[in-house]
Amino acid sequence: MATDEAKKSNTNVKSGGKKKEVKKETGLGLSNKKDDNFGEWYYEVVVNGEMIEYYDISGCYILRPWAISIWETMQTFFDAEIKKMKIKNCYFPLFVSPGVLQREKDHIEGFAPEVAWVTKSGSTDLDVHIAIRPTSETVMYPYYSKWIRGHRDLPLKLNQWCNVVRWEFSHPTPFIRSREFLWQEGHTAFATKVEADEEVLEILELYRRIYEEYLEIPVIKGKKSELEKFAGGLYTTSVEAFIPNTGRGIQGATSHCLGQNFAKMFEINFENEKGEKQMVWQNSWAYSTRTIGVLVMVHGDDNGLVLPPKVASVQVVVIPVPYKDADTQAIFDACSETVNTLSKAGFRVEADFRDNYSPGWKYSHWEMKGVPLRIEIGPKDLVNSQVRIVRRDNSAKTDIPMAKLTEKVKEMLDDVQQSLFDAAKQKRDACIKVVKTWDEFMEALNQKKMILAPWCDEEEVEKDVKARTKGEMGAAKTLCSPFDQPELPEGTLCFASGKPAKKWTYWGRSY
């Protein structure tokens, strides 16, 4: 993938050039194809689809309304669900004192290279440098210690919608890897491990639903290895997606059980019913705007974005198609009436009445933005009391009587939503390869597969696999051990070490 600076200059040149084009041309197409140059294709789609704009600080991006509306839809769903679980929203400051940040050694070592620091106030050097949160465990937990005294103060279940900053990395990529990103982070404390374990899985199921019911992306629920778990935590669960074009897994969201490690460091204790002093059990869990990048990568095509109807800012766009000598006003009126009818029925719909663009240019524009359905109304449609509907996902064209418009649009949007999931799952499943030996593993890795292999579950073996597969494309690592475990016949050996296998684990390269 190209650098941020190169992309900024390229997109500026392109957008500058666009304005000079004859506006009736349909020259909106992408110059890169998804299968030929995935990295450049992705950059083009997020910019031309009006999801982001490049900013003058590398690794930072402007999230445009088209992207934020997707985030808001997911936020609305998730926020309502966690409120049902009696989780309350709050907000903690962006700044962290170094003393607090360094309290949990393993945790800060995991994040240290990415922490950004405030070192000046105006031109004056600060006596004490202040960190900007890379995550909020160390920001929040000193106050959990203050607020939790007895068993009646538990459980304490808080969530915040905020931004975090993680500075030190190479290859910034919009949505996938940025220096500042939006997320929610939940932080909960319980009297017992049983309650904490239960919540970990409850939250993970909500993350699965975001991906599979809203974004229409198949994910695998599982547990991270000791090497890949959250720094300072007891165990980490995740939903893992896969990008067939690049042969890379991508961590979709994580739900961690922190155990009692942070409780020990921050002295979060409570008195139980018997008057005994105990430490709390804690969880933290998060998903971020990375979700939007996964959506673009999985569903996008050579014409731009392809958005599932549930998260699309505009579900239906209505375009007038007037010919010479046609009754233009009558066509415009029919378009307005169509918008009103569908809006009243609860659909998100807009008409494109711009007179300085041809219908063909508008088709390309809204295709690039991924709108699920396009309605065209021309003179023949007026005569026949119908509209033409074109699907974004498969370009299928259907003529629909005006009288059946609302029910047919609902049917088609439901079908688009399901079809996107089915297509994505078919592609993902075709990339999964079950292997038993090292040679099979390497062959599958070179074929950009998501590999399911029997593993002895030893950290040193995973480190060895990373070392042996390191190359230009990046090393292979564990993605997760799926909760839905296939049968492991007795005597099955680990593909990498030859020791007795303990579980099936997904491996691959990842983002």
Side-chain angles (χ1 to χ4, degrees):
M1 286 191 174
T3 64
D4 257 16
E5 285 73 16
K7 290 315 303 172
K8 273 188 289 196
S9 61
N10 287 350
T11 50
N12 288 342
V13 169
K14 282 176 187 167
S15 61
K18 282 280 179 284
K19 288 171 185 169
K20 293 176 186 172
E21 286 177 1
V22 177
K23 289 175 183 174
K24 294 203 170 186
E25 286 182 8
T26 57
L28 284 171
L30 301 169
S31 53
N32 290 283
K33 295 204 177 301
K34 189 176 185 181
D35 289 342
D36 297 344
N37 191 338
F38 184 84
E40 293 298 319
W41 166 85
Y42 178 79
Y43 282 121
E44 271 197 285
V45 170
V46 293
V47 173
N48 294 4
E50 298 180 358
M51 300 282 266
I52 67 123
E53 187 56 79
Y54 283 88
Y55 194 58
D56 65 355
I57 296 172
S58 176
C60 297
Y61 309 97
I62 298 162
L63 303 190
R64 300 183 66 180
W66 205 246
I68 287 294
S69 66
I70 296 172
W71 180 244
E72 286 174 336
T73 299
M74 293 187 283
Q75 185 178 26
T76 300
F77 160 74
F78 190 79
D79 203 59
E81 291 298 322
I82 62 173
K83 284 190 167 95
K84 289 178 194 171
M85 295 167 64
K86 308 297 184 201
I87 293 161
K88 294 181 170 67
N89 284 326
C90 64
Y91 185 80
F92 278 74
L94 177 67
F95 303 114
V96 198
S97 67
V100 168
L101 189 65
Q102 287 154 8
R103 285 271 286 278
E104 210 300 316
K105 189 169 173 288
D106 289 342
H107 176 72
I108 187 53
E109 278 180 5
F111 284 102
E114 301 174 338
V115 176
W117 294 87
V118 179
T119 61
K120 282 179 179 284
S121 168
S123 58
T124 308
D125 289 337
L126 294 181
D127 291 338
V128 178
H129 294 176
I130 295 169
I132 297 174
R133 63 175 168 228
T135 179
S136 295
E137 282 76 8
T138 58
V139 179
M140 298 169 82
Y141 297 164
Y143 301 91
Y144 280 41
S145 171
K146 187 176 180 180
W147 298 335
I148 296 169
R149 288 284 180 247
H151 62 89
R152 292 180 188 84
D153 299 323
L154 293 170
L156 178 59
K157 302 199 276 188
L158 301 180
N159 174 69
Q160 65 173 356
W161 296 93
C162 63
N163 60 343
V164 288
V165 173
R166 297 183 183 175
W167 203 260
E168 205 41 64
F169 57 76
S170 55
H171 308 305
T173 304
F175 298 114
I176 301 299
R177 208 167 168 80
S178 56
R179 288 186 165 160
E180 179 191 9
F181 55 88
L182 301 180
W183 74 348
Q184 60 67 219
E185 50 176 325
H187 295 271
T188 52
F190 300 91
T192 66
K193 183 173 184 289
V194 171
E195 293 170 279
D197 289 339
E198 195 177 293
E199 188 204 60
V200 165
L201 297 182
E202 214 175 329
I203 292 292
L204 196 70
E205 173 60 12
L206 293 182
Y207 292 151
R208 182 202 67 79
R209 288 181 63 191
I210 286 172
Y211 274 95
E212 297 197 342
E213 295 177 15
Y214 282 80
L215 303 178
E216 300 306 317
I217 294 166
V219 290
I220 292 163
K221 291 202 290 189
K223 188 176 177 182
K224 288 286 193 184
S225 69
E226 284 297 301
L227 201 59
E228 292 295 323
K229 75 177 184 181
F230 183 69
L234 181 63
Y235 65 85
T236 291
T237 68
S238 67
V239 288
E240 299 287 331
F242 190 77
I243 311 298
N245 288 74
T246 60
R248 289 182 185 275
I250 187 157
Q251 183 175 284
T254 49
S255 184
H256 317 285
C257 179
L258 302 178
Q260 294 180 307
N261 193 21
F262 286 89
K264 187 178 178 183
M265 295 297 165
F266 290 95
E267 298 176 11
I268 312 173
N269 303 312
F270 71 100
E271 202 173 83
N272 68 13
E273 290 95 329
K274 296 174 186 173
E276 298 162 339
K277 189 177 170 184
Q278 290 189 314
M279 284 189 293
V280 298
W281 292 84
Q282 289 177 270
N283 294 338
S284 69
W285 28 269
Y287 81 95
S288 74
T289 37
R290 168 177 272 212
T291 46
I292 301 171
V294 181
L295 166 70
V296 175
M297 288 181 166
V298 170
H299 296 310
D301 63 17
D302 290 341
N303 292 323
L305 296 168
V306 179
L307 299 180
K310 271 192 183 180
V311 297
S313 177
V314 176
Q315 296 170 315
V316 185
V317 64
V318 182
I319 298 177
V321 191
Y323 299 127
K324 282 180 183 175
D325 306 323
D327 186 344
T328 303
Q329 191 55 51
I331 291 170
F332 277 30
D333 290 345
C335 288
S336 296
E337 192 180 326
T338 300
V339 169
N340 290 337
T341 300
L342 292 175
S343 294
K344 281 176 186 169
F347 301 107
R348 298 188 290 276
V349 55
E350 283 184 16
D352 190 341
F353 290 126
R354 291 176 292 178
D355 59 5
N356 57 336
Y357 291 103
S358 68
W361 189 96
K362 292 177 186 179
Y363 298 166
S364 296
H365 173 75
W366 292 104
E367 276 180 8
M368 183 70 75
K369 287 171 73 76
V371 173
L373 295 181
R374 178 175 82 235
I375 290 180
E376 304 167 7
I377 301 178
K380 283 183 183 175
D381 301 304
L382 281 187
V383 171
N384 296 326
S385 295
Q386 67 180 31
V387 300
R388 169 159 287 188
I389 302 187
V390 185
R391 284 175 57 152
R392 174 63 183 88
D393 64 321
N394 62 13
S395 304
K397 297 176 181 176
T398 316
D399 292 331
I400 301 290
M402 282 296 288
K404 292 188 173 178
L405 179 67
T406 302
E407 62 183 275
K408 289 295 180 186
V409 164
K410 185 183 185 320
E411 279 175 25
M412 287 175 115
L413 287 173
D414 288 346
D415 193 61
V416 169
Q417 190 81 20
Q418 187 60 46
S419 296
L420 286 174
F421 182 82
D422 293 343
K425 190 172 187 303
Q426 190 179 1
K427 284 179 192 164
R428 195 277 314 267
D429 289 352
C431 292
I432 294 175
K433 180 82 173 169
V434 179
V435 308
K436 301 278 183 67
T437 68
W438 179 259
D439 288 345
E440 289 173 351
F441 175 82
M442 286 307 297
E443 185 185 352
L445 189 65
N446 292 331
Q447 292 169 352
K448 297 183 175 179
K449 301 293 186 187
M450 186 181 196
I451 303 160
L452 185 60
W455 181 39
C456 61
D457 196 17
E458 290 184 16
E459 203 171 310
E460 289 308 312
V461 173
E462 183 176 0
K463 285 178 181 173
D464 186 52
V465 171
K466 274 187 171 181
R468 289 163 73 185
T469 56
K470 199 171 183 181
E472 280 182 25
M473 295 280 289
K477 63 181 184 180
T478 57
L479 303 175
C480 75
S481 297
F483 292 137
D484 188 7
Q485 283 277 316
E487 187 187 348
L488 188 68
E490 200 175 329
T492 302
L493 301 178
C494 171
F495 79 98
S497 68
K499 296 176 182 178
K502 292 181 182 172
K503 58 166 80 168
W504 289 94
T505 298
Y506 282 102
W507 296 74
R509 294 191 176 95
S510 75
Y511 283 93

